[in-house]
Amino acid sequence: MATELDKIFLTLAIVEFIIGMLGDVFIGLVNCSEGIKNQKVFSVDFILTCLAISTIGHLLVILFDSHVAGLAPHLYATDRVVRPVTVLWHMTNHLTTWLATCLSIFYFFKIAHFPHSLFLWLRWRMNRVIAILLTLSLFLLIFDCLVLEMFIDISLNIIDKSNLTLYLDESKTPYDKLSLLKTLLSLNSFIPFSLCLTSLLFLFLSLVRHTRNLKLSSLGSRDSSTEAHRRAMKMVMSLLFLFIVHFFSLQVANWTFCILGNNKYTQFVMLALHAFPSCHSFILILGNSKLRQTAVRLLWHLRNYTKRPNPLPL
């Protein structure tokens, strides 16, 4: 029987799901229609479309996971449910975070200006750099899944014991292994977070350098390049803020689940964790001129349609 707290948790989870799906389906439809119309797919559109697809899959897994956690938490003690849900959650989360990181790096190479030869060499090969990062993310995903399989096995063995505290007192080995695997999973999440933070810092340095050059040349501090820097920084900073909430919520959720199990505290930490896939699509829409203009036109048409008077009955 679901309690009031379970109902609140499920309601909030459904709200996050609807918000995320609206934004990601919109991004996917706009980019797919533009690609079919122009018979050409740009790098940024490809990354955005892949990010929208992976986020849609992640949101579906989150919705199922939230219903299991709220309505049938005892199923987390069974291998039949916990293994596929956990693996699918980590796979879709891994792809979403890495694609968002690649998007931040793409905007960094596209907008930033540095005279250094290494930067110019990397910028000229920007598409190849993004492809190498995505390939690296796939290798890390395989490593992540292997670590996750060992983590699930040890966790289920611990759950099978009738007294967890007594079991941990008798043998520290499973707990030590669990801590080590948790650390490995955390380090895997730290790599895209570090890359996203580095992109933001270099974008900020490029903006400072560009603004100083404009002041020295008496051209003022506002031009198209400066505005592009600021728009990119706002978007990357917003993504980074959600990334920070996501990263630390993931660590808290992992440790609370390990120590306390699937209780109410873990469920509400997961709500903060799911803010990243639910909200980042709207940041992407606001940061992309094509998506923003399409969204404005769509809202204008919807507004005019709702204001249209109903025909009088005959």
Side-chain angles (χ1 to χ4, degrees):
M1 187 71 179
T3 63
E4 288 297 324
L5 207 57
D6 291 328
K7 292 178 181 178
I8 295 173
F9 170 73
L10 287 175
T11 303
L12 292 175
I14 292 172
V15 169
E16 285 186 337
F17 172 79
I18 293 172
I19 292 173
M21 288 294 288
L22 286 174
D24 288 302
V25 169
F26 174 79
I27 292 173
L29 289 176
V30 171
N31 285 330
C32 288
S33 62
E34 287 291 325
I36 294 172
K37 184 191 302 182
N38 300 327
Q39 297 295 312
K40 185 178 181 180
V41 179
F42 296 99
S43 298
V44 63
D45 294 334
F46 176 76
I47 298 173
L48 282 169
T49 305
C50 291
L51 179 57
I53 293 172
S54 66
T55 308
I56 288 171
H58 191 45
L59 288 169
L60 291 172
V61 176
I62 287 172
L63 184 65
F64 178 79
D65 180 57
S66 300
H67 277 77
V68 173
L71 300 178
H74 62 278
L75 292 177
Y76 275 103
T78 62
D79 182 76
R80 183 179 298 178
V81 173
V82 71
R83 191 179 299 274
V85 171
T86 306
V87 170
L88 282 174
W89 191 96
H90 274 270
M91 286 178 63
T92 53
N93 177 70
H94 181 96
L95 293 173
T96 300
T97 52
W98 269 97
L99 285 167
T101 302
C102 288
L103 188 65
S104 301
I105 294 172
F106 176 86
Y107 279 113
F108 161 65
F109 281 122
K110 196 75 174 176
I111 297 172
H113 295 284
F114 290 103
H116 198 278
S117 57
L118 178 60
F119 173 79
L120 296 175
W121 185 84
L122 290 172
R123 186 178 185 180
W124 185 256
R125 296 161 177 81
M126 179 173 56
N127 291 335
R128 193 177 301 176
V129 171
I130 298 297
I132 291 172
L133 285 175
L134 290 175
T135 304
L136 173 65
S137 72
L138 293 178
F139 282 108
L140 291 174
L141 177 60
I142 295 172
F143 173 77
D144 201 9
C145 289
L146 293 175
V147 174
L148 194 61
E149 284 289 330
M150 291 187 287
F151 177 81
I152 293 172
D153 290 336
I154 296 173
S155 300
L156 289 174
N157 286 335
I158 292 176
I159 291 173
D160 286 339
K161 301 294 178 178
S162 58
N163 191 328
L164 176 62
T165 306
L166 179 62
Y167 177 65
L168 293 179
D169 288 339
E170 290 175 351
S171 175
K172 295 293 182 182
T173 304
Y175 184 76
D176 294 337
K177 288 181 179 179
L178 213 58
S179 301
L180 176 61
L181 295 176
K182 281 280 180 202
T183 304
L184 290 175
L185 291 172
S186 300
L187 288 175
N188 206 355
S189 303
F190 186 72
I191 296 173
F193 172 76
S194 302
L195 291 173
C196 191
L197 178 61
T198 304
S199 300
L200 177 64
L201 291 176
F202 276 108
L203 268 173
F204 177 74
L205 292 176
S206 176
L207 175 62
V208 171
R209 180 177 175 274
H210 179 72
T211 305
R212 186 174 64 245
N213 291 338
L214 287 177
K215 288 181 179 179
L216 291 175
S217 59
S218 301
L219 294 176
S221 60
R222 297 182 69 87
D223 67 340
S224 59
S225 181
T226 305
E227 291 304 312
H229 271 82
R230 289 174 177 168
R231 283 197 302 268
M233 277 193 61
K234 287 178 183 178
M235 188 183 68
V236 176
M237 194 179 298
S238 301
L239 284 174
L240 184 64
F241 173 74
L242 288 176
F243 214 151
I244 291 172
V245 174
H246 179 79
F247 178 76
F248 286 104
S249 298
L250 180 61
Q251 312 314 313
V252 173
N254 282 338
W255 287 108
T256 53
F257 185 81
C258 180
I259 297 171
L260 302 175
N262 184 35
N263 62 1
K264 308 303 177 187
Y265 301 104
T266 307
Q267 292 177 9
F268 282 95
V269 170
M270 294 296 285
L271 288 176
L273 176 63
H274 299 155
F276 177 71
S278 298
C279 301
H280 81 270
S281 57
F282 291 95
I283 296 173
L284 298 177
I285 292 171
L286 293 174
N288 186 283
S289 58
K290 179 182 68 178
L291 294 174
R292 185 173 63 252
Q293 291 169 6
T294 307
V296 170
R297 287 198 302 268
L298 178 62
L299 291 174
W300 184 81
H301 285 300
L302 289 175
R303 182 183 178 185
N304 288 341
Y305 180 79
T306 54
K307 285 187 174 181
R308 191 171 61 183
N310 294 325
L312 295 174
L314 296 177

